[in-house]
Amino acid sequence: MAEIEQNPLSKVPEVTAAFWVTKVLTTGMGETTADYLVHQIDPPVAVGLAGLGLLAALLLQFAVRRYVAWVYWLAVVMVSIFGTMAADAVHVGLGVPYLVSSVAFVLVLAVVFLVWRTTEKSLSIHSIVTRRREAFYWATVLTTFALGTAAGDLTAMTFGLGYLASGIVFAVLIAIPALAYRRFGMNATLAFWFAYVLTRPLGASFADWAAGSTERGGLDLGTGPVSLVLGVTILAFVAYLAVTRRDVESLARRP
């Protein structure tokens, strides 16, 4: 295999099929791991530990000078766990309805996008080459996780679809940006972030279905076992990406 000439400034992976699969897996793992932790230890302590883990992962991500598979995906996993806890805390701790929190997170995401676009003139993931743009990128990622968590719970619980039906709905919805981009020329950046938001409720819905009790329409596998299986699968995918470097953005592929 020819050596890939990596862009030394790139801090994010190339968007490939493996990227999307790994992303969905992290959303499922974040959902079940967050639920497992808050039921095993005191919830405020769990949230605090997750917050510290996220901070450490992001500091490591910002410290490296280029994209490193395990560092990047560690940060994504920690964002998933903490983002789930944050969204759940808004509903459980503060009593905010899922519809209200979903709308609120949409507004927050819109503000992040607006400030990012106004400041940097681009929302493209191919432009993440400075610390400020990287900060905008991770702020967006964290917000999309919180939004996706609230949206998934909204359809499953408030709208009464249940986890399996919700997962199917989001699986259909996530095909829209892919089809619109390939067939109808949808803006690549818009298609990416549209799909990125939907990966959260997609992965979380199926993970909740697998872990949830039969009374709630689930398979009753438990949050611990589901988290473990998803974690091992993520490790396998990240190892594959690290070895093959298929998600390394090369200079030749940059626009």
Side-chain angles (χ1 to χ4, degrees), residues 84-109:
T84 299
M85 290 181 175
D88 287 343
V90 170
H91 175 73
V92 178
L94 301 179
V96 178
Y98 288 124
L99 179 59
V100 174
S101 60
S102 295
V103 172
F105 285 129
V106 167
L107 295 177
V108 172
L109 182 60

Side-chain angles (χ1 to χ4, degrees), residues 118-157:
T118 301
T119 304
E120 300 296 332
K121 312 305 179 185
S122 174
L123 300 177
S124 173
I125 61 168
H126 299 292
S127 68
I128 312 302
V129 294
T130 66
R131 286 188 180 276
R132 188 165 66 182
R133 291 182 180 181
E134 190 176 9
F136 278 122
Y137 175 85
W138 286 105
T140 303
V141 170
L142 181 57
T143 307
T144 62
F145 269 92
L147 169 59
T149 299
D153 288 334
L154 175 68
T155 58
M157 303 177 72

Side-chain angles (χ1 to χ4, degrees), residues 221-250:
L221 299 179
T223 55
V226 172
S227 297
L228 180 60
V229 170
L230 290 174
V232 171
T233 307
I234 291 168
L235 285 174
F237 267 92
V238 173
Y240 165 78
L241 293 173
V243 171
T244 63
R245 295 167 61 84
R246 289 182 180 274
D247 64 337
V248 171
E249 186 180 70
S250 70

